[in-house]
Amino acid sequence: EPEVTQTPSHQVTQMGQEVILRCVPISNHLYFYWYRQILGQKVEFLVSFYNNEISEKSEIFDDQFSVERPDGSNFTLKIRSTKLEDSAMYFCASQNFGQGRIEQYFGPGTRLTVT
Amino acid sequence: GQSLEQPSEVTAVEGAIVQINCTYQTSGFYGLSWYQQHDGGAPTFLSYNGLDGLEETGRFSSFLSRSDSYGYLLLQELQMKDSASYFCAVRDGGFKTIFGAGTRLFVKA
């Protein structure tokens, strides 16, 4: 069964450093998302991406964040100048609306720890 | 503002039926989804309602009433492995999905 993959599984970085989180969505999916989840809290929407551009972003997704689909398979989230409060689990998800219902497939996540 | 309300915790015994409610207040609405998340794991899609009524998928069913901005997830024949967090989520009409805070389900033997 196809699945969303994410790398790395765990990233430790120092405050102020840049990190890039990588995702490979399911190959025939057209819509891609990034979410974050602070430990013990709810899943928070960051950004959605379709047709090589951002379709919607939340108030969390400020100038510190950017997304890119550099090739036909990868989907990346870049966080510039990380802050302590960026420590969270980051999930990538993909979706194909052609299914006629809204079903997002989540990757296993990247745990980001900012020290 | 946009919000989804669900109980923080529910406890039930193995073999029982449990219902997790969700009420929502969003600027737009394109459907209510339910996800399961085990500790340390990723959310896994369970069910979706785009129209009013009941959707059944095995032991799990989900219901939606758009006029009441209300839905629920029904889990039948509970098993120990169903112990997890359950999130309701609404697509707000655009490409944004808003999640509830989650309901932690404890299944006891």
Side-chain angles (χ1 to χ4, degrees):
Chain A
E1 185 175 323
E3 59 183 20
V4 177
T5 60
Q6 290 185 242
T7 54
S9 57
H10 190 190
Q11 174 91 49
V12 181
T13 190
Q14 288 190 327
M15 195 167 51
Q17 296 297 304
E18 175 183 286
V19 294
I20 297 176
L21 311 183
R22 291 183 167 79
C23 167
V24 178
I26 294 173
S27 61
N28 64 339
H29 284 188
L30 302 176
Y31 299 83
F32 314 114
Y33 305 84
W34 282 103
Y35 295 89
R36 80 173 185 190
Q37 186 177 33
I38 295 169
L39 187 63
Q41 298 186 24
K42 68 177 180 180
V43 177
E44 297 177 290
F45 170 83
L46 291 177
V47 67
S48 58
F49 192 87
Y50 169 70
N51 201 25
N52 284 320
E53 62 182 25
I54 291 173
S55 43
E56 196 152 356
K57 58 184 180 180
S58 72
E59 54 278 3
I60 301 169
F61 194 89
D62 58 22
D63 293 343
Q64 179 195 9
F65 294 90
S66 62
V67 289
E68 197 176 39
R69 189 158 161 82
D71 53 43
S73 58
N74 290 285
F75 180 50
T76 62
L77 174 69
K78 182 189 289 186
I79 310 175
R80 287 180 281 273
S81 191
T82 49
K83 298 177 280 196
L84 293 176
E85 53 265 37
D86 293 328
S87 294
M89 197 75 166
Y90 288 80
F91 292 106
C92 170
S94 71
Q95 180 173 1
N96 186 357
F97 282 113
Q99 294 170 320
R101 64 178 190 175
I102 297 174
E103 180 174 340
Q104 294 186 20
Y105 292 82
F106 281 72
T110 294
R111 179 169 300 283
L112 176 65
T113 302
V114 183
T115 61
Chain B
Q2 307 203 85
S3 66
L4 285 79
E5 299 291 330
Q6 51 181 129
S8 58
E9 237 177 65
V10 172
T11 300
V13 297
E14 213 172 0
I17 298 172
V18 72
Q19 178 173 314
I20 299 173
N21 299 319
C22 174
T23 57
Y24 58 88
Q25 184 177 358
T26 55
S27 57
F29 181 82
Y30 203 80
L32 179 70
S33 300
W34 289 91
Y35 289 83
Q36 179 192 61
Q37 186 180 33
H38 287 97
D39 285 347
T44 303
F45 174 83
L46 290 177
S47 191
Y48 167 75
N49 295 78
L51 302 174
D52 291 352
L54 192 68
E55 290 285 335
E56 296 181 83
T57 310
R59 293 189 297 117
F60 297 162
S61 303
S62 59
F63 172 82
L64 174 67
S65 168
R66 288 175 295 172
S67 61
D68 296 321
S69 298
Y70 164 76
Y72 66 72
L73 178 70
L74 194 74
L75 297 86
Q76 302 181 74
E77 301 173 18
L78 279 175
Q79 302 174 9
M80 298 297 289
K81 67 178 182 179
D82 297 330
S83 292
S85 292
Y86 292 84
F87 294 89
C88 58
V90 166
R91 184 182 159 207
D92 73 346
F95 289 91
K96 182 175 182 178
T97 303
I98 303 159
F99 280 74
T103 297
R104 196 160 180 85
L105 172 64
F106 296 95
V107 180
K108 302 192 299 185

